[in-house]
Amino acid sequence: MLFSHPRLAILGTGRYAPEKIILNSHFEGRDLYNYDGLGNRVGEEVRLTDEKILKQTGIRERRESGKDEWPSDMAYYAAVRALESAGIKAEELTGIILATVTELANFASGAQKLQEWLNATNVKLTYDFQDACAGFPEALMQADSRALRLPGYYLAGASETLTKIVQHDDVNSDLFSDLAGFVVLGPATTGRGV
C-alpha cells in the first residue's frame, strides 16, 4: 500500500471572485514587452488581440480585486462557503493552510486572520506559505501530510491578488487574476482522497 494513513478527502468547496471583470479587450492596442529575470525589457513591443489571447491561453476574462481587498479578505468568503458546503463548523477545524504570495503583511498571516474572523477556536496550526501557481495543490498535500500527526478537519486553499503586483506592460500580464478557492478536508472513509 502506498500510504499507511487514512488520507484526507474533500468534503466541501468554496470560491470567491471579485466583482471587477477585466476582458481581453483591456490588453488590445497596448504596447506590451517581454522582460528578463532582472526586470529588463528584451525585444520589441508585442501587441495582443482578444483572438490571440483566447487562442494562446483559453482566457476570456479575469478578475481584479478592489483597492483595499487582499488575499485574506477574499479567502474569508471562500472559506465560509467551503465550510457551509462541507457542513462543518469553524470550531471543528484542526488546521488552516493558505497559499499566497500577495498577502498584505506576513504577520499576522492570512491564515491567522481567517482563524480569528471565522472564530475557529480549536485550530492547532495555521500558516501561510508562498507558492503561487502550484499553491492550491500544494496546500492539499500539506494538509494531507499534517493530518498524519494532527488528524481532523483542515481548511486549505489559495488566494491571490496578483493584479496588484504584476507589471502591467508585461506581455504575460493577461494571465494574472485575483481569486480565492478553499476546500474543507476530512478523514477519507472510502480509501480514496488527496
Side-chain angles (χ1 to χ4, degrees):
M1 185 154 94
L2 185 58
F3 295 94
S4 60
H5 69 282
R7 300 169 71 187
L8 294 179
I10 295 173
L11 305 179
T13 63
R15 67 176 178 84
Y16 172 81
E19 288 183 24
K20 185 174 181 182
I21 296 172
I22 305 297
L23 299 172
N24 289 343
S25 57
H26 172 78
F27 300 93
E28 288 185 316
R30 296 173 53 197
D31 292 337
L32 300 170
Y33 300 90
N34 286 297
Y35 287 85
D36 65 18
L38 299 174
N40 301 308
R41 282 185 185 172
V42 293
E44 300 294 318
E45 68 267 358
V46 177
R47 294 289 181 112
L48 295 175
T49 64
D50 175 50
E51 296 80 19
K52 188 173 183 178
I53 293 170
L54 188 58
K55 183 178 180 184
Q56 290 178 340
T57 67
I59 298 171
R60 292 184 189 279
E61 65 180 47
R62 69 244 357 104
R63 299 299 177 108
E64 184 177 327
S65 56
K67 180 179 168 225
D68 296 319
E69 194 169 36
W70 294 93
S72 52
D73 302 312
M74 298 191 317
Y76 171 77
Y77 296 110
V80 166
R81 291 172 179 154
L83 287 164
E84 289 171 353
S85 172
I88 300 293
K89 293 181 173 38
E91 56 267 23
E92 296 179 76
L93 292 172
T94 299
I96 300 173
I97 301 170
L98 170 61
T100 184
V101 297
T102 55
E103 181 60 27
L104 181 59
N106 290 329
F107 186 80
S109 72
Q112 289 170 319
K113 292 174 191 172
L114 283 178
Q115 180 183 6
E116 180 182 346
W117 297 341
L118 294 168
N119 197 28
T121 53
N122 296 312
V123 165
K124 294 174 179 59
L125 87 111
T126 169
Y127 64 90
D128 293 1
F129 69 94
Q130 292 194 340
D131 193 346
C133 295
F136 186 78
E138 179 62 27
L140 297 179
M141 290 186 293
Q142 287 191 29
D144 193 50
S145 294
R146 296 288 184 171
L148 280 167
R149 297 202 187 270
L150 286 171
Y153 296 109
Y154 284 79
L155 184 63
S159 184
E160 295 292 3
T161 54
L162 292 168
T163 63
K164 288 179 169 44
I165 64 168
V166 70
Q167 195 153 337
H168 291 278
D169 65 346
D170 187 311
V171 71
N172 296 311
S173 59
D174 64 315
L175 297 174
F176 299 102
S177 186
D178 301 340
L179 299 164
F182 269 85
V183 295
V184 172
L185 300 158
T189 57
T190 64
R192 297 178 61 181
V194 175

